Amino acid sequence: MDIAIVGLGKMGANMARRLINGGHRVVGTDRSFESAQSLAAEVGLVAAGTLVDAVAALPAPRAVWVMVPAGAPTEAVIDELAVLLSPGDTVIDGGNTFYKDDICRAAALKEKGIHYVDVGTSGGVWGLKEGYSLMVGGETEAVSRLSPIFETLAPAADKGWGHVGGVGAGHFVKMVHNGIEYGLMQAYAEGFEIMHAKKDFALDLHQVAEIWRVGSVVRSWLLDLTAEALKGDQDLSEIAGYVSDSGEGRWTVFEAVDLDVPAPVITLSLQQRFVSRQDESYAAKLLAAMRNQFGGHAVKKAE
């Protein structure tokens, strides 16, 4: 099957590699034409200098997979595709888009007869080897036509991907997936910090992670990755304790509030990421000042 990928960053390029290895013809375009040319020389990608060229290189009905940063960059690409594509063609958004934006885009494209499919994509740098977890939203007709693409990108044709609902459902499920990921990561981080602080036992945290990887109820791929991270330097001395977020954890918390669903673990894990970005906490300073005022508790002076 023929498909175009817009955005040949690390994930987009690896998806192109996996599709080409699976026998698909892939047209690729990127802000850097050199990236497309490099991938063309490596795996046989059809390099396109512009979106116009990419669309022209596809037979109808066309399928264009957008893998650029969420927000304005994705919006700009889809706006341009709305002009270039024809009725019966399909736009696929595989980025980290907010699901309500999917619904608005799909409605606008539907007026032009263009299908819209949202695909929550998980797998990161391991997707090329292991396959991608794909949560697909959209009309059944469009999703069914694209199923050979999803079957190739997924870990297996019948595993790791699925059509979860109408437009927006794919990114909604991926949003919650990432919220859960926040909670799991925070629990591991807190547990290992407790063990790291227990100096009496001089625990080898890499050894502990390796023990837990087999047979334990807390074993997971995240734990596998934790073990790898701890292998060389369990003090993580070269890593700053600053944790970013892609936005999906926030959206999950907002959705929980809108639906009156309690989500304390996900909410607190998001808040902990905010804490990691503070060089100094004004709130903590004020807490210390209050304790000093009401109880005469000692205050540690700033250096």
Side-chain angles (χ1 to χ4, degrees), residues 60-252:
R62 304 170 186 85
V64 181
W65 190 303
V66 181
M67 284 299 291
V68 301
T74 295
E75 204 73 46
V77 169
I78 292 177
D79 285 347
E80 188 173 350
L81 287 173
V83 176
L84 296 174
L85 295 178
S86 304
D89 294 344
T90 303
V91 172
I92 308 154
D93 181 3
N96 289 327
T97 290
F98 185 43
Y99 78 96
K100 291 183 179 179
D101 292 340
D102 290 318
I103 296 170
C104 294
R105 290 175 189 158
L109 291 173
K110 189 172 185 178
E111 293 180 0
K112 298 175 177 288
I114 300 169
H115 301 289
Y116 182 90
V117 173
D118 56 288
V119 182
T121 306
S122 181
V125 297
W126 295 90
L128 175 60
K129 178 183 176 183
E130 304 289 342
Y132 296 91
S133 173
L134 305 173
M135 297 140 264
V136 184
E139 298 174 347
T140 301
E141 176 191 350
V143 173
S144 295
R145 189 175 75 81
L146 295 167
S147 60
I149 296 295
F150 303 138
E151 290 172 357
T152 301
L153 289 173
D158 58 347
K159 292 180 181 179
W161 82 276
H163 183 196
V164 297
V167 169
H171 280 144
F172 180 85
V173 172
K174 176 59 163 50
M175 175 190 76
V176 177
H177 163 283
N178 280 29
I180 293 170
E181 179 184 287
Y182 278 41
L184 290 171
M185 292 173 70
Q186 185 64 33
Y188 280 128
E190 291 176 9
F192 277 90
E193 182 168 26
I194 292 168
M195 291 187 288
H196 186 264
K198 189 64 174 176
K199 302 302 183 185
D200 297 357
F201 291 147
L203 296 170
D204 182 336
L205 300 186
H206 175 251
Q207 178 195 33
V208 172
E210 289 291 348
I211 291 170
W212 288 356
R213 286 181 62 201
V214 182
S216 166
V217 295
V218 299
R219 66 187 183 273
S220 72
W221 186 48
L222 278 173
L223 184 60
D224 296 342
L225 298 177
T226 300
E228 184 64 28
L230 293 170
K231 183 185 295 183
D233 174 15
Q234 62 179 290
D235 290 327
L236 305 176
S237 55
E238 295 185 0
I239 299 177
Y242 184 102
V243 187
S244 300
D245 70 281
S246 63
E248 291 177 299
R250 301 179 189 221
W251 300 338
T252 305

